[in-house]
């Protein structure tokens, strides 16, 4: 159940009153849904009477009149009319709108009346899966940004969230890397600050390229590298120590990128592929003993009726290869066991590229057959599409190389800083503020462009568009917030105070009704793992604010004091909602822009 401090939205209060009136007017109808939705003709329209009349073979208009008569006399509804074949068009009272918003503003927890359900359960989110000794690219960006937003949103609604960064830190390529490092021990030394991500990555890059060249050209080195893989898998101490150097060096780099992305990441959240090594054998044994997996041509496989290759033959999930090595599936299945049995998760959420959908479909089905997933424990892939360049093709450099994440973020911040600088003099920003705001605007622009597109769709990476002050961009939202903060600073002695007795202008009502939907939108976003719906809500909020500014002057000597106070109340609550909503998307809202 939602806990103390939560405020029922106008829509849910109205829904309840209509449902009660339906039951009172029609005892035979059982529990009936009034089918309430927002409307252009009034604030809301209820369409449920049509279906009921059909079911009860009655006249829908007469039925609508009965329901209207059964509604309680509260100050919620200002006007209700029966239209067409029995629709109810409902206009709420201005008093109810302002009173509900005042309750949101007064919520002492600072949550704007959004329900918090502490019994919601535990979700493990697997996101931002970089690889050791490899640079992060645009694909990692989407996983990190979408995953981080879902962490914030689910925690805000009451879910207990365990973060998991499933880094690629194991596999045959480490034989080659470790062998090279043993033979060239100074290759990972870099000048300067130990925490310098760029330096760490450039020495890893250099080593990776050099070892690859040697591996491809020198048969003896190749043989030594293969022996080294065996030593690594056997846990030989010197080999493990060298492997750990690669992991530590890569973490310096990962942390520097996450820092640029303005995201928190901590050591306990990083449990890479290697973290499940001790479970692999047991996972395979359980799958084989329970008959979930079977031996096929020497490999341990799981077959599915609906997964076939181009030749029409079944394509299995290979859990253990013919040579005794373990595939990704064994690691992923062991991770599921760990997350369900040890972390006590009810939900496993994987923020992974849509191109891996078949793999995860097979892994989840295998886990269900093994009993690790069931009615009470669900797994879900939050699949995301590809990042495209302006030309509509996968985003790569002119040389055809995948774009480095670090370069991309640096360029976004550079562009955004130029945009901030243009207006900085007018509002008196210091150089320090310009640099900080440039960072928040640049990183926010990149995150918002990603989050405002439905995850599963591909999206075009266009920095010019992202840092534009016009259209559906985070900069537009950040400016909306900063503009309100500026008005509140200029208000002098006038304070934001709600005045439920006032009649509202159309733009005030529209803004108020939209503000009241914040909690409902968050609940929908959390349930469907759809952060783009929160981005859309915030953009609409900023658009309502723009219309409000055009039609209702806030600080005007011509207005009575209570009108000024009420309008300050509306914009202040809008600022708080924008600030909270953007924070849940991982985006900062500077006070002055």
């Amino acid at each position: 159940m939602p806990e103390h401090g939560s405020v029922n939205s106008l829509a849910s209060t109205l829904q309840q009153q209509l449902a009660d009136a339906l039951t009172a007017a029609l005892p035979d109808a059982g529990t009936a849904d009034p089918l309430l939705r927002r409307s252009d003709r009034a604030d809301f329209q209820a369409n449920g009477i049509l279906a009921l009349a059909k079911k009860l073979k009655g006249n829908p208009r007469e039925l609508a009149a009965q329901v209207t008569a059964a509604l309680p006399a509260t100050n919620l509804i200002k006007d209700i009319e029966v239209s067409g074949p029995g629709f109810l068009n409902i206009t709420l009272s201005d008093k109810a709108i302002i009173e509900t918003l005042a309750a949101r503003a007064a919520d002492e927890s600072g949550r704007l009346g959004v329900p918090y359900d502490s019994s919601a359960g535990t979700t493990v989110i697997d996101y931002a899966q970089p690889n050791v000794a490899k640079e992060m690219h645009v694909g990692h960006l989407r996983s990190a940004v979408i995953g981080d937003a879902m962490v914030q949103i689910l925690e805000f609604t009451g879910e207990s969230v365990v973060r998991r960064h499933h880094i690629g830190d194991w596999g045959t390529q480490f034989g080659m890397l470790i062998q090279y490092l043993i033979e060239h021990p100074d290759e990972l030394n870099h000048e300067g600050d130990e925490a310098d991500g760029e330096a760490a990555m450039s020495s890893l890059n250099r080593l990776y390229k050099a070892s690859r060249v040697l591996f491809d050209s020198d048969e003896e080195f190749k043989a030594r590298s293969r022996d080294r893989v065996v030593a690594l898998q056997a846990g030989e101490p010197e080999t493990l120590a060298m492997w750990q150097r690669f992991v530590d060096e890569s973490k310096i780099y990962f942390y520097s990128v996450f820092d640029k992305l303005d995201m928190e990441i901590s050591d306990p959240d990083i449990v890479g592929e290697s973290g499940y090594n001790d479970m692999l054998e047991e996972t395979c044994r359980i799958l084989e003993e329970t008959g979930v997996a079977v031996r096929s041509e020497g490999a341990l496989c799981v077959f599915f009726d609906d997964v076939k290759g181009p030749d029409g033959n079944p394509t299995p999930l290979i859990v253990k290869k013919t040579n005794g090595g373990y595939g990704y599936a064994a690691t992923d299945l062991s991770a599921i066991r760990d997350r369900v049995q040890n972390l006590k998760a009810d939900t496993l959420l994987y923020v992974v590229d849509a191109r891996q959908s078949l793999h995860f479909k097979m892994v989840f089905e295998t886990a269900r057959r093994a009993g690790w997933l069931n009615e009470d424990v669900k797994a879900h892939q939050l699949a995301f599409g590809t990042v495209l360049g302006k030309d509509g093709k996968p985003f790569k450099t002119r040389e055809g190389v995948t774009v480095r994440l670090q370069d991309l973020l640096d360029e976004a911040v550079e562009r955004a800083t130029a945009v901030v600088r243009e207006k900085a003099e007018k509002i008196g920003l210091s150089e320090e503020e310009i640099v900080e705001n440039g960072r928040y605007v640049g990183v926010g622009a990149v995150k918002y462009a990603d989050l405002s597109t439905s995850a599963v769709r591909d999206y075009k990476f266009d920095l010019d568009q992202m840092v534009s002050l016009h259209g559906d961009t985070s900069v537009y939202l950040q400016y909306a917030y900063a503009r309100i903060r500026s008005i509140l600073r200029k208000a002098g002695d006038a304070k934001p105070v709600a005045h439920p007795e006032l009649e509202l202008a159309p733009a005030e009502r529209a803004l108020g009704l939209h503000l009241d939907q914040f909690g409902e939108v968050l609940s929908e976003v959390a349930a469907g793992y759809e952060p783009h719906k929160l981005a859309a809500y915030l953009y609409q909020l900023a658009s309502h604010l723009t219309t409000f500014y055009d039609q209702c002057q806030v600080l005007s000597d011509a207005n009575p004091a209570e009108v000024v106070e009420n309008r300050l109340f509306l914009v202040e609550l809008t600022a708080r909602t924008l600030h909270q909503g953007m924070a849940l998307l991982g985006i900062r809202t500077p006070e002055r822009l």
Side-chain angles (χ1 to χ4, degrees):
M1 281 298 295
E3 292 180 5
H4 182 64
S6 71
V7 175
N8 281 337
S9 70
L10 292 158
S12 66
T13 305
L14 179 59
Q15 167 89 13
Q16 190 57 56
Q17 288 193 10
L18 282 168
D20 291 347
L22 272 170
T23 311
L26 301 164
D28 306 342
T31 50
D33 185 350
L35 295 178
L36 192 67
R37 61 182 183 80
R38 291 298 302 273
S39 164
D40 300 337
R41 307 218 167 137
D43 295 333
F44 292 94
Q45 189 173 67
N47 300 343
I49 289 168
L50 276 179
L52 265 180
K54 213 177 208 173
K55 188 172 143 192
L56 300 171
K57 301 188 174 41
N59 176 325
R61 282 189 70 91
E62 283 173 18
L63 194 49
Q66 283 175 275
V67 171
T68 308
L71 279 165
T74 63
N75 69 6
L76 178 67
I77 298 171
K78 176 186 175 185
D79 188 40
I80 185 161
E81 60 156 21
V82 180
S83 88
F87 297 132
L88 293 179
N89 286 335
I90 302 158
T91 303
L92 301 183
S93 75
D94 294 350
K95 185 171 196 245
I97 293 173
I98 295 298
E99 280 179 346
T100 299
L101 295 181
R104 293 197 177 287
D107 175 7
E108 285 175 6
S109 68
R111 296 173 50 80
L112 306 171
V114 175
Y116 182 86
D117 183 0
S118 59
S119 63
T122 299
T123 296
V124 175
I125 301 191
D126 185 324
Y127 66 111
Q129 302 97 357
N131 292 310
V132 165
K134 285 191 181 167
E135 290 202 72
M136 289 176 73
H137 56 74
V138 167
H140 295 122
L141 172 73
R142 288 212 81 180
S143 180
V145 168
I146 296 167
D148 186 60
M150 282 318 308
V151 167
Q152 309 301 332
I153 291 163
L154 290 174
E155 283 188 335
F156 189 74
T157 54
E159 194 78 17
S160 173
V161 176
V162 181
R163 301 159 170 81
R164 275 292 172 266
H165 300 292
H166 189 84
I167 63 172
D169 66 352
W170 202 250
T172 51
Q173 77 276 19
F174 284 100
M176 169 186 95
L177 292 168
I178 293 166
Q179 190 58 37
Y180 190 86
L181 187 59
I182 285 172
E183 295 174 18
H184 305 80
D186 298 331
E187 279 297 304
L188 275 188
N189 300 347
H190 49 89
E191 299 292 313
D193 184 7
E194 272 310 295
D196 182 350
E198 276 287 337
M201 195 60 241
S202 81
S203 55
L204 283 167
N205 251 343
R206 207 173 48 243
L207 192 149
Y208 191 90
K209 284 174 184 158
S211 65
R212 185 87 246 175
V213 168
L214 199 55
F215 187 84
D216 291 340
S217 62
D218 181 334
E219 285 304 318
E220 287 181 2
F221 176 73
K222 189 182 269 188
R224 291 198 298 278
S225 298
R226 289 192 167 141
D227 290 344
R228 189 58 62 186
V229 175
V230 177
L232 176 65
Q233 289 174 341
E236 190 274 315
E238 186 200 10
T239 306
L240 272 184
M242 287 292 183
W243 168 79
Q244 191 63 49
R245 279 192 68 189
F246 281 102
V247 174
D248 292 344
E249 197 71 14
S250 297
K251 277 188 185 174
I252 294 172
Y253 162 68
F254 296 157
Y255 278 38
S256 75
V257 176
F258 281 106
D259 188 52
K260 270 193 177 159
L261 273 169
D262 194 19
M263 279 182 197
E264 275 185 34
I265 175 171
S266 63
D267 263 350
D269 304 336
I270 299 178
V271 182
E273 293 167 0
S274 65
Y276 306 100
N277 284 351
D278 295 348
M279 299 175 73
L280 299 177
E281 196 181 327
E282 191 185 12
T283 297
C284 291
R285 184 176 57 70
I286 294 169
L287 291 172
E288 192 168 11
E289 282 176 4
T290 54
V292 173
V294 293
R295 294 270 166 195
S296 174
E297 295 171 27
L300 188 60
C301 303
V302 183
F303 288 92
F304 310 87
D305 294 338
D306 57 348
V307 184
K308 294 186 169 59
D311 55 3
N313 290 329
T315 306
L317 183 72
I318 298 172
V319 186
K320 195 172 189 178
K321 301 173 196 169
T322 313
N323 66 3
Y326 299 101
Y328 284 123
T331 304
D332 287 334
L333 288 161
S334 298
I336 289 177
R337 279 179 59 214
D338 175 59
R339 292 165 184 183
V340 172
Q341 292 162 3
N342 299 329
L343 300 177
K344 305 289 182 241
D346 315 284
T347 308
L348 307 178
L349 185 61
Y350 291 78
V351 187
V352 184
D353 190 314
R355 287 169 291 195
Q356 294 188 48
S357 292
L358 180 61
H359 169 78
F360 279 99
K361 182 185 161 189
M362 292 159 82
V363 165
F364 296 162
E365 176 55 29
T366 301
R368 267 193 291 275
R369 291 179 188 178
W372 303 324
L373 297 177
N374 51 45
E375 278 308 299
D376 302 322
V377 186
K378 303 267 191 297
H380 179 81
Q381 182 192 353
L382 202 176
F384 57 83
T386 308
V387 180
L388 308 173
K390 285 187 195 178
D391 58 2
K393 294 183 180 144
F395 195 37
K396 292 197 166 26
T397 61
R398 286 206 184 98
E399 296 74 44
V401 183
T402 307
V403 179
R404 294 173 70 221
L405 188 44
Q406 221 145 344
D407 296 343
L408 204 99
L409 294 172
D410 290 344
E411 192 182 344
V413 168
E414 205 176 301
R415 298 268 190 104
T417 307
V419 170
V420 171
R421 197 176 290 283
E422 271 173 41
K423 297 192 176 238
E425 205 171 317
K426 200 165 116 193
I427 55 170
L429 289 185
S430 68
E431 183 59 28
E432 197 180 332
E433 285 175 302
I434 292 171
V435 169
E436 184 177 84
N437 288 357
R439 184 181 167 216
Y440 292 153
V441 171
V443 171
V446 171
K447 287 182 177 181
Y448 186 85
D450 193 326
L451 292 166
S452 57
T453 308
S454 165
V456 77
R457 284 175 50 199
D458 299 344
Y459 87 99
K460 281 189 183 168
F461 198 95
D462 179 350
L463 274 177
D464 296 326
Q465 172 54 34
M466 286 179 190
V467 297
S468 162
L469 303 179
H470 309 290
D472 188 2
T473 64
S474 71
V475 196
Y476 174 63
L477 301 178
Q478 286 168 322
Y479 266 105
Y481 176 81
R483 190 172 174 191
I484 297 173
R485 301 303 302 165
S486 161
I487 287 172
L488 292 168
R489 283 193 295 271
K490 285 182 190 146
D493 293 336
K495 294 281 176 279
V497 180
H499 285 278
E501 73 283 0
L502 290 177
E503 196 171 313
L504 297 177
E508 291 176 300
R509 296 185 94 257
L511 181 61
L513 285 166
H514 193 72
L515 279 170
D516 185 51
Q517 287 180 289
F518 183 51
E520 286 177 354
V521 168
L522 281 181
S523 147
E524 192 181 333
V525 168
Y529 309 123
E530 297 173 301
H532 69 278
K533 289 186 174 173
L534 175 55
Y537 168 84
L538 296 169
Y539 175 61
Q540 287 159 351
L541 182 59
S543 306
H544 279 302
L545 184 70
T546 304
T547 310
F548 167 83
Y549 282 143
D550 288 346
Q551 297 176 12
C552 308
Q553 204 173 350
V554 181
L555 300 175
S556 164
D557 294 338
N559 288 335
E562 58 270 25
V563 170
V564 174
E565 288 177 349
N566 200 55
R567 286 180 178 171
L568 283 171
F569 163 73
L570 278 170
V571 295
E572 202 258 348
L573 187 58
T574 302
R576 285 172 62 188
T577 307
L578 277 169
H579 173 76
Q580 180 63 73
M582 293 288 266
L584 293 175
L585 294 177
I587 301 172
R588 306 259 188 167
T589 38
E591 293 292 302
R592 302 197 305 157
L593 267 181

